[in-house]
Each structure stands twice: as structure tokens, then as C-alpha cells.
């Protein structure tokens, strides 16, 4: 019988409120109606560790506690709180997060005695030890040898295992590591008692099919649970994470808003919503808090969320094009995924006014504001909206109301609404 994804993970007991029913929407019948590839998947959040390694980003003690609390309340399975040996402040933040959250709290450590001891002293539930395994990093970053890396990795895993703490091992730069040596490392740490093996695409060079093949190789040489960590250098991080899960991994490491080293990590919000909506997997995450979480991390990290960011960007559920807006007004499933709605992620839908706006959208906005426009008046207001949008100017609802008054749209119901 294969090991459960929950084996070796020490979690605190917790009772969470029932999640809102908007989470479960059946996948549409059609060409992509295939939702059986993944049965279950866990969420390992590394916003507070790898996310904080984003250039020019630094979380204060209070920031870390606030973000950790939000992640915990949402039901995140593992929170990598930081690198305890890094500083006294980092140690205190990791220790206090471990004490105050119900999620499994993880601390990072190199295969160095002082790192491992600092993580254990922080009383985390899981220690994540790592060592470079690609030749370029062994030689030019660790200034070591394959034999030495293997020896130190085994010793670090054994030390954590002996303490009774869950241990995860990462062969850093696994996707640029000689496969025979990677298998040798995987087998060695498995024999040493590792609970989880994380396969990191440290430099973001994996592609989904190749990464899935690699996970299958690793799975064939270990009895440990498998975790994946993917970077976004080519925009493939979330796709690679999901490919890893499809191939048999139990968990993926993600960060909110995709922040992290260089181009960042697989995005928490994209990974969770893909699992929930596309694969129909109940992650246990309260997805209705995703937008609020994104905004919190955006504010604390100082990294703005692009408007076209999937799931949480300002445009994710916004429509300007006349054809799209008209369809959405009739039935939002026409030009939105359908299996992911604004309500599911705690967002709202918006009809944006601009040069692409159509009459349906203008009529909808005028009616909502209490006006009773005729067809001719709608066309007149729409022309004004398009003209202003074409001048590269933002069209606000105040502008639309002003245009309506210019063309003489009745405001009788508008006054009643105000009263």
C-alpha cells in the first residue's frame, strides 16, 4: 500500500468553519471534460521564505505573523515560515509562527549543523534541509564534491529524523542534476529516514512533460512522499507544479502572487484554483479568501499585482469588449471559465467602460444607476463613451451619468432610488 500524503506530517488539531458552497462547480461537458488525473493534492506555502527572497522584498516580524495567520485561517497545509539560522529576528518569527498556527510549520536549513539545530530549536513541525546536487552548483556554489554532499545530506536527514521532527530533503537544482546521481541521492536520504523529498526546479528550466517524467523517476526510487518546487523563469511554474502532481507528487510549494527568487514561484492562487476548478479536487483551502490574501501580500511585499494576473489581477473578472460584456450580462459563463467565479475567490465582476464598450454594457450601467434610456439614447451615450476611451482617457461611472444627462436620459427612477 503506498504511503499516504499525510504520513510523517505532524499537524495540530483544528476545527474550521464550513466552507461556502460556491466552491464546487461541476466542470463543463466538452473537449476538456477530463477531471480524473488528480485525486488529492496538498499546499505548501513558501511566501514567507522563498517569497521574501524576491529582490527588494523584506517582511517584518509583524508582517510574517499577519500573513501566516491568514494562510493558517484559510487551511493551508504547510507554512514555510523562514530560515531560522538567518538572524535572531528570523528565528523568533519562525518560532512564534510555529506556536500560534495550526498548520504544519516548516523551517529551512542547509545541510549544516548550526542550521539544523536552529530549525529544531525553533520547534517547527517540519525541517526542510537542502543541498545542491547539480555539478555546477556543487563545484561553484558549495565548493564541494558529490560524495561530500551525499554524506552531509544523509547526516542532516538522520539528525532531524532522530529528533522526531518531520524531515523534508531537497536536492537543489534537481532539474539540472545528473539523473544517476539524483537517484543515488534520493535512495540515500530515503534510507536515512526522510519523510518528504522535494524536487525543485531551482532555475526554472523544466517543462511540464519533462518534469512529470522526472517525478515518475523519483517516485520509483523512494517510499517517501514527494513534493515539488517550481520557478517561473519561463512562465511555466504553475504548469510544472500541476504536471508534478499529475505524475504522482503529493504536494507543491507555492507562493502568494508568485513572488520569489528572480521571476518567482508557482502561484498559490493559480495552483489552488486550478486544482479546485479544473481538476475538481477539494484542497480544503477556503478559496473565498484568496483575493484578500493576495492584497495583503501585495501590500506587505511592495510588489504590485499586474492587472492581467490570473485569478487575482484587476482584470481577471473585468470586461470591456462589447461582445464579451454582452455575453457576460446574459450569462457570465459565456466569457468566463464558469468553473471559477468571482465569488469563489472573494472578488467581484466589473464591466469596464472604454473604446471597446458596447451598448449592452452601457445600458446595464445606466439601468443600475436608475436611468431609463431609450435605444437611441443608449447608442448616443455609447458613442460618447467610445470617443473618450479612444482618447486614452479613463471612463468613470460619473462620466457615463454625465453623458446620459447630456443626451436627456430620464432620471425619474434615479431620483426615486435616491429617495
Amino acid at each position: 500500500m503506498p504511503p499516504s500524503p499525510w504520513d510523517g506530517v505532524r499537524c495540530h488539531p483544528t476545527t474550521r468553519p464550513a466552507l461556502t458552497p460556491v466552491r464546487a462547480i461541476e466542470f463543463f461537458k466538452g473537449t476538456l471534460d477530463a477531471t480524473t488525473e488528480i485525486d488529492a493534492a496538498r499546499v505548501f506555502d513558501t511566501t514567507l521564505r522563498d517569497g521574501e527572497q524576491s529582490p527588494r522584498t523584506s517582511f517584518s516580524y509583524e508582517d510574517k505573523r499577519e500573513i501566516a495567520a491568514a494562510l493558517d485561517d484559510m487551511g493551508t497545509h504547510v507554512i514555510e515560515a523562514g530560515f531560522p539560522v538567518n538572524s535572531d529576528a528570523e528565528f523568533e518569527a519562525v518560532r512564534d509562527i510555529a506556536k500560534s498556527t495550526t498548520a504544519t510549520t516548516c523551517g529551512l536549513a542547509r545541510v549544516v549543523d548550526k542550521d539544523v539545530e536552529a530549525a529544531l530549536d525553533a520547534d517547527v513541525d517540519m525541517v526542510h534541509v537542502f543541498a545542491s546536487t547539480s555539478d555546477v552548483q556543487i563545484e561553484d556554489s558549495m565548493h564541494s564534491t558529490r560524495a561530500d554532499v551525499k554524506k552531509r545530506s544523509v547526516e542532516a536527514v538522520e539528525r532531524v529524523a532522530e529528533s522526531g521532527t518531520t524531515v523534508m530533503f531537497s536536492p537543489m537544482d534537481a532539474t539540472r542534476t545528473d539523473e544517476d546521481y539524483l537517484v543515488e541521492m534520493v535512495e540515500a536520504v530515503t534510507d536515512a529516514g526522510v519523510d518528504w523529498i522535494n524536487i525543485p526546479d531551482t532555475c526554472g528550466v523544466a517543462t511540464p512533460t519533462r518534469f512529470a517524467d522526472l517525478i515518475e523517476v523519483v517516485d520509483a526510487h523512494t517510499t517517501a512522499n514527494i513534493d515539488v518546487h517550481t520557478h517561473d523563469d519561463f512562465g511555466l511554474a504553475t504548469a510544472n507544479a500541476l504536471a508534478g502532481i499529475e505524475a504522482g507528487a503529493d504536494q507543491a510549494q507555492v507562493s502568494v502572487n508568485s513572488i520569489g527568487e528572480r521571476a518567482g514561484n508557482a502561484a498559490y492562487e493559480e495552483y489552488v484554483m486550478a486544482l479546485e476548478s479544473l481538476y475538481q479536487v477539494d484542497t480544503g483551502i477556503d478559496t473565498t479568501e484568496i483575493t484578500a490574501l493576495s492584497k495583503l501580500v501585495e501590500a506587505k511585499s511592495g510588489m504590485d499585482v499586474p492587472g492581467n494576473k490570473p485569478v487575482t489581477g484587476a482584470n481577471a473578472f473585468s470586461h470591456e469588449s462589447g461582445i464579451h460584456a454582452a455575453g457576460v450580462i446574459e450569462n457570465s459563463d459565456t466569457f468566463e471559465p464558469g468553473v471559477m467565479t468571482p465569488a469563489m475567490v472573494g472578488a467581484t465582476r466589473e464591466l469596464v467602460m472604454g473604446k471597446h464598450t458596447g451598448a449592452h454594457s452601457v445600458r446595464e450601467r445606466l439601468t443600475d444607476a436608475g436611468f431609463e434610456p431609450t435605444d437611441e439614447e443608449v447608442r448616443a451615450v455609447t458613442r460618447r463613451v467610445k470617443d473618450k476611451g479612444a482618447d486614452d482617457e479613463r471612463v468613470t461611472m460619473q462620466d457615463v451619468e454625465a453623458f446620459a444627462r447630456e443626451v436627456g436620459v430620464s432620471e425619474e427612477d434615479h431620483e426615486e432610488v435616491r429617495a
Side-chain angles (χ1 to χ4, degrees):
M1 182 176 180
S4 163
W6 287 269
D7 289 346
V9 178
R10 179 158 58 99
C11 295
H12 302 290
T14 179
T15 300
R16 301 189 186 283
L19 300 178
T20 131
V22 297
R23 292 175 59 256
I25 297 179
E26 184 178 354
F27 198 86
F28 286 123
K29 301 299 181 184
T31 55
L32 297 181
D33 182 25
T35 58
T36 59
E37 303 97 331
I38 300 173
D39 294 323
R42 290 165 50 86
V43 182
F44 179 118
D45 182 85
T46 187
T47 304
L48 301 179
R49 200 277 297 171
D50 200 327
E52 190 182 25
Q53 291 173 207
S54 300
R56 294 171 289 279
T57 293
S58 178
F59 296 128
S60 68
Y61 169 88
E62 291 77 14
D63 292 341
K64 285 206 167 194
R65 289 292 300 273
E66 189 173 351
I67 294 170
L71 289 166
D72 190 38
D73 289 344
M74 290 173 63
T76 306
H77 303 106
V78 183
I79 300 173
E80 189 166 44
F83 202 164
V85 79
N86 193 45
S87 67
D88 290 342
E90 182 83 345
F91 176 88
E92 291 175 8
V94 173
R95 180 194 60 193
D96 293 349
I97 289 170
K99 287 181 179 178
S100 63
T101 57
T102 56
T104 296
T105 304
C106 179
L108 187 70
R110 295 168 298 181
V111 288
V112 175
D113 289 345
K114 66 176 182 177
D115 286 34
V116 173
E117 295 307 321
L120 292 173
D121 289 345
D123 199 27
V124 294
D125 304 304
M126 174 189 289
V127 176
H128 177 190
V129 296
F130 71 97
S132 295
T133 54
S134 67
D135 289 332
V136 65
Q137 289 194 1
I138 290 174
E139 295 168 10
D140 296 332
S141 178
M142 292 187 73
H143 304 291
S144 187
T145 64
R146 287 185 177 186
D148 184 55
V149 167
K150 178 181 172 181
K151 177 177 178 293
R152 291 164 59 187
S153 298
V154 167
E155 289 173 350
V157 167
E158 288 177 340
R159 171 68 185 101
V160 179
E162 287 167 1
S163 75
T165 303
T166 299
V167 56
M168 172 182 284
F169 174 75
S170 287
M172 189 160 67
D173 208 13
T175 49
R176 299 193 302 173
T177 295
D178 174 75
E179 187 172 301
D180 289 340
Y181 180 60
L182 180 63
V183 167
E184 184 181 334
M185 287 292 296
V186 166
E187 292 178 341
V189 295
T190 298
D191 291 342
V194 77
D195 297 297
W196 287 85
I197 293 178
N198 171 52
I199 300 301
D201 181 27
T202 305
C203 293
V205 297
T207 59
T209 301
R210 295 172 187 173
F211 195 62
D213 290 344
L214 178 60
I215 297 307
E216 290 179 354
V217 169
V218 171
D219 195 25
H221 291 273
T222 185
T223 56
N225 299 303
I226 299 176
D227 178 85
V228 295
H229 179 111
T230 54
H231 276 270
D232 212 27
D233 296 75
F234 289 91
L236 295 171
T238 301
N240 286 332
L242 291 167
I245 299 295
E246 281 194 14
D250 305 292
Q251 178 173 274
Q253 299 192 4
V254 294
S255 68
V256 180
N257 298 339
S258 193
I259 66 173
E261 287 277 3
R262 303 181 314 280
N265 297 271
Y268 182 109
E269 57 280 0
E270 296 170 18
Y271 171 73
V272 169
M273 292 314 299
L275 288 171
E276 291 272 348
S277 297
L278 302 182
Y279 293 93
Q280 301 284 280
V281 170
D282 184 356
T283 62
I285 303 295
D286 182 357
T287 66
T288 63
E289 293 298 321
I290 280 179
T291 296
L293 175 67
S294 173
K295 291 182 183 300
L296 172 64
V297 172
E298 179 181 34
K300 301 300 185 183
S301 68
M303 297 183 67
D304 295 337
V305 173
N308 65 340
K309 173 74 175 64
V311 184
T312 57
N315 294 344
F317 299 100
S318 295
H319 307 273
E320 180 180 330
S321 165
I323 293 173
H324 284 236
V328 167
I329 290 169
E330 183 72 20
N331 178 353
S332 62
D333 289 351
T334 55
F335 289 103
E336 287 181 5
V339 289
M340 178 176 69
T341 67
M344 289 172 71
V345 298
T348 55
R349 183 177 295 109
E350 182 181 8
L351 298 179
V352 178
M353 300 287 103
K355 72 174 183 178
H356 303 294
T357 298
H360 284 84
S361 184
V362 170
R363 182 186 297 279
E364 181 85 0
R365 299 298 287 272
L366 289 174
T367 302
D368 286 347
F371 290 90
E372 287 189 323
T374 64
D375 290 348
E376 183 178 349
E377 289 168 342
V378 168
R379 287 193 291 270
V381 173
T382 302
R383 281 195 298 273
R384 286 166 168 75
V385 169
K386 285 178 173 289
D387 289 344
K388 182 164 186 176
D391 289 336
D392 201 26
E393 293 187 50
R394 181 170 179 266
V395 182
T396 66
M397 193 55 208
Q398 287 72 26
D399 294 323
V400 176
E401 292 185 7
F403 295 152
R405 295 185 184 103
E406 287 177 13
V407 302
V409 180
S410 170
E411 293 186 77
E412 290 182 3
D413 287 349
H414 189 53
E415 293 300 326
E416 291 177 12
V417 170
R418 284 180 175 174

